[in-house]
Amino acid sequence: MSFSTSVPQNETFILQKLISIRERLTALKQDRSTYFKTSDVNSFYEQTVEEVRKINIIRKDPSLHDEQNRVDVVLDDVFQLLSLFFLTVGSRSAPATYASLITVKRLLDHLKESRIYSNADLTPIEERLEEIKGIVDRDAVSESSELIQLIRAKIDVCEHELAELKESLSVISPDLLPTLQRLVSIRRQILSIGSKPKFSISELKVLQEELRHIESTRVDGNFLSPDGNIPDGQNVVNGLLEECHDLLNDFIAREDLVGPALHPIYEQLTEMKNQLDSLMLTHKWTLRETDLYNFQQKLQVIDDKRVNGVFLDEEGNVPAGQTILLYLLRRCYALIYRLLVSSEPVSEALIPIQNQLSTVRRCLLEVKRMGGLSSARELYPYQMKLASIDNLRSDGKFMIGSSIPEGQGLLNALLAECFDLCHELRVEMEENDE
């Protein structure tokens, strides 16, 4: 597949239209004064699909099937934004999976490049791809064939890369996989500690002791299986063990592990990682899925600065700190992926109500766990809160103006569960009194 920096004359108007859509979506994304409406997102989506149809007509000649130019780059941006908008309004349709697929592809690329991973890294990705395939198969009839074709092509690419990664693990005996998984985890812990501007040597010493313990289980330099045989994959596991030791020694011996030329990138990645870590804690209250677009774009820009997998300085040299930067880059991608996966199928307009119901449910479950009510008066605050939320419904639906946002089923189920918990607590109290 070749990428052309020039855009053919017959695709110029398509490019202009896609840029216009991207600009309007970006402006809408930044507007915090109102909630997104499903109808608005669908309108942008239909306009984009119409441009895709035009591209397909222009490129129907087999010689143009692999054509890639700026039109495709902008189209990718638009679909990423649209995908995040669909997530924000609570839709879990095929278009909403696009952003996840982009992030999955980046994660797989980095795992393949690092060659340091275990089944624990691949299994969640495989499960997510199966989930996306199920969504796409379900929506194949109702969604545009152009989008379905595009998403299935991206799924195929991800599945092919995943199969390659699984194949490379197949050379390692099952007896060595637990040790491999533990060493992969230790390596990431070492990098997590070492990537901080200031870190405690004592934290690294704990991991160093664990490495020595793992090393002590070897016999004549080999890890043995329970039956005393030497399982396949010794080179991989021993190589990873030595790399962990080298990383530890580097971090313990040196204070400044990132070269001055890479400090700006290091600071950007550190800031993004801290922001994403904060979102992991507060996303149910503060995250608008479209906010992730900025993180994705910034990471992509940083990722694309690498030459043959490494960051270079202005003279073309390879400064120190490559491992730390790659760890931070991959960690940011992983955090975005987790935020996308944990996104609830509820429109942002209904998130405040969902958070209130979730809090009431948590409190009621805690009361039940602690032994129940001592008097009916303790139940009044919960009943009043549930009644006020119930009164927000019109004909059994939570309305925002004249629209019915996504997530009605989930909220109604949550409300019903809270009422049931109140009833159960009252019945238990009355039985105890009798």
Side-chain angles (χ1 to χ4, degrees):
M1 184 177 292
S2 60
F3 183 85
S4 174
T5 54
S6 61
V7 177
Q9 185 65 38
N10 56 357
E11 294 186 10
T12 303
F13 292 112
I14 297 174
L15 176 62
Q16 293 171 352
K17 183 62 183 291
L18 290 173
I19 290 174
S20 172
I21 293 173
R22 184 177 64 179
E23 289 174 349
R24 284 182 288 155
L25 284 171
T26 302
L28 182 61
K29 173 178 71 70
Q30 294 168 346
D31 183 5
R32 293 275 177 173
S33 64
T34 183
Y35 294 120
F36 302 146
K37 296 178 182 177
T38 304
S39 57
D40 293 336
V41 181
N42 283 332
S43 174
F44 283 114
Y45 170 61
E46 288 165 6
Q47 292 175 48
T48 305
V49 168
E50 180 58 33
E51 298 309 307
V52 174
R53 292 193 183 104
K54 294 176 184 177
I55 294 171
N56 289 343
I57 292 171
I58 292 172
R59 300 181 184 176
K60 64 182 178 181
D61 186 326
S63 64
L64 297 175
H65 284 180
D66 291 335
E67 174 75 15
Q68 287 280 299
N69 56 47
R70 192 175 171 222
V71 171
D72 301 274
V73 174
V74 177
L75 180 63
D76 185 67
D77 286 347
V78 171
F79 271 127
Q80 281 192 62
L81 269 170
L82 281 170
S83 175
L84 295 170
F85 270 98
F86 276 114
L87 288 174
T88 304
V89 299
S91 170
R92 293 303 177 268
S93 57
T97 65
Y98 194 89
S100 281
L101 278 173
I102 295 296
T103 308
V104 165
K105 178 64 170 64
R106 287 279 179 174
L107 285 173
L108 290 169
D109 288 344
H110 279 277
L111 289 175
K112 184 177 180 179
E113 181 185 12
S114 70
R115 301 193 301 277
I116 298 171
Y117 54 88
S118 68
N119 283 322
D121 300 307
L122 302 184
T123 301
I125 292 177
E126 185 173 20
E127 291 173 350
R128 178 60 178 157
L129 285 175
E130 287 299 319
E131 183 183 348
I132 291 174
K133 283 170 66 178
I135 293 171
V136 173
D137 290 343
R138 181 198 68 195
D139 294 350
V141 176
S142 57
E143 295 293 343
S144 75
S145 59
E146 290 82 5
L147 176 82
I148 296 297
Q149 182 180 349
L150 181 64
I151 291 179
R152 280 181 170 157
K154 291 193 175 294
I155 291 174
D156 289 343
V157 171
C158 289
E159 287 190 323
H160 177 73
E161 198 160 350
L162 179 65
E164 289 182 356
L165 294 174
K166 291 174 71 176
E167 177 65 24
S168 66
L169 280 182
S170 66
V171 302
I172 301 172
S173 168
D175 292 331
L176 283 184
L177 288 178
T179 304
L180 174 70
Q181 187 168 322
R182 185 61 199 134
L183 287 172
V184 169
S185 175
I186 289 174
R187 183 182 184 277
R188 286 177 184 158
Q189 290 178 65
I190 295 170
L191 288 169
S192 176
I193 295 168
S195 65
K196 298 173 184 175
K198 293 183 180 180
F199 58 85
S200 169
I201 297 295
S202 60
E203 292 180 86
L204 295 175
K205 293 286 187 182
V206 173
L207 296 174
Q208 193 172 47
E209 285 303 312
E210 188 169 356
L211 283 177
R212 286 172 181 162
H213 172 72
I214 293 173
E215 196 169 23
S216 69
T217 63
R218 296 188 300 179
V219 177
D220 295 330
N222 292 311
F223 293 96
L224 302 182
S225 59
D227 57 10
N229 293 321
I230 300 176
D232 293 333
Q234 297 291 326
N235 290 341
V236 175
V237 179
N238 278 318
L240 183 53
L241 178 62
E242 291 305 316
E243 184 177 345
C244 288
H245 275 304
D246 291 343
L247 281 173
L248 270 173
N249 293 333
D250 283 347
F251 285 136
I252 291 172
R254 297 166 59 189
E255 292 183 2
D256 190 3
L257 291 162
V258 178
L262 298 184
H263 273 181
I265 296 176
Y266 171 74
E267 289 167 1
Q268 287 181 63
L269 289 171
T270 302
E271 182 182 358
M272 275 193 278
K273 177 182 172 294
N274 291 337
Q275 291 173 344
L276 289 166
D277 278 329
S278 297
L279 283 175
M280 286 299 300
L281 297 174
T282 63
H283 70 275
K284 289 186 178 179
W285 293 272
T286 62
L287 177 67
R288 206 180 210 185
E289 281 81 357
T290 49
D291 296 339
L292 296 176
Y293 177 77
N294 291 340
F295 289 106
Q296 289 177 317
Q297 293 298 104
K298 289 176 183 176
L299 286 175
Q300 188 171 326
V301 169
I302 292 174
D303 206 352
D304 291 342
K305 287 181 179 178
R306 294 191 296 148
V307 178
N308 295 326
V310 296
F311 294 99
L312 304 178
D313 61 18
E314 292 181 357
E315 287 76 35
N317 300 316
V318 182
Q322 301 290 328
T323 306
I324 292 176
L325 293 189
L326 288 176
Y327 164 77
L328 289 169
L329 186 61
R330 289 160 184 163
R331 182 63 183 156
C332 287
Y333 277 129
L335 288 169
I336 289 174
Y337 172 74
R338 287 172 60 189
L339 286 166
L340 288 170
V341 170
S342 63
S343 176
E344 297 268 9
V346 177
S347 169
E348 66 163 345
L350 298 182
I351 290 293
I353 299 173
Q354 184 198 17
N355 288 337
Q356 292 175 55
L357 285 171
S358 297
T359 302
V360 172
R361 176 182 177 274
R362 237 183 354 259
C363 292
L364 290 170
L365 288 171
E366 185 66 16
V367 170
K368 192 171 185 178
R369 188 182 70 82
M370 297 297 290
L373 303 169
S374 57
S375 71
R377 188 180 296 274
E378 294 178 16
L379 204 56
Y380 290 164
Y382 304 111
Q383 291 174 320
M384 291 175 64
K385 184 62 181 176
L386 291 174
S388 68
I389 294 174
D390 194 16
N391 288 335
L392 296 175
R393 296 193 297 174
S394 175
D395 294 328
K397 297 181 180 65
F398 292 96
M399 307 285 289
I400 300 296
S402 59
S403 64
I404 305 173
E406 298 279 350
Q408 301 292 326
L410 192 148
L411 261 63
N412 281 319
L414 199 51
L415 180 61
E417 184 182 357
C418 289
F419 276 126
D420 289 343
L421 284 169
C422 285
H423 178 70
E424 289 172 14
L425 286 167
R426 179 178 287 278
V427 170
E428 287 175 8
M429 183 194 68
E430 291 171 353
E431 289 176 349
N432 291 337
D433 289 344
E434 291 174 3

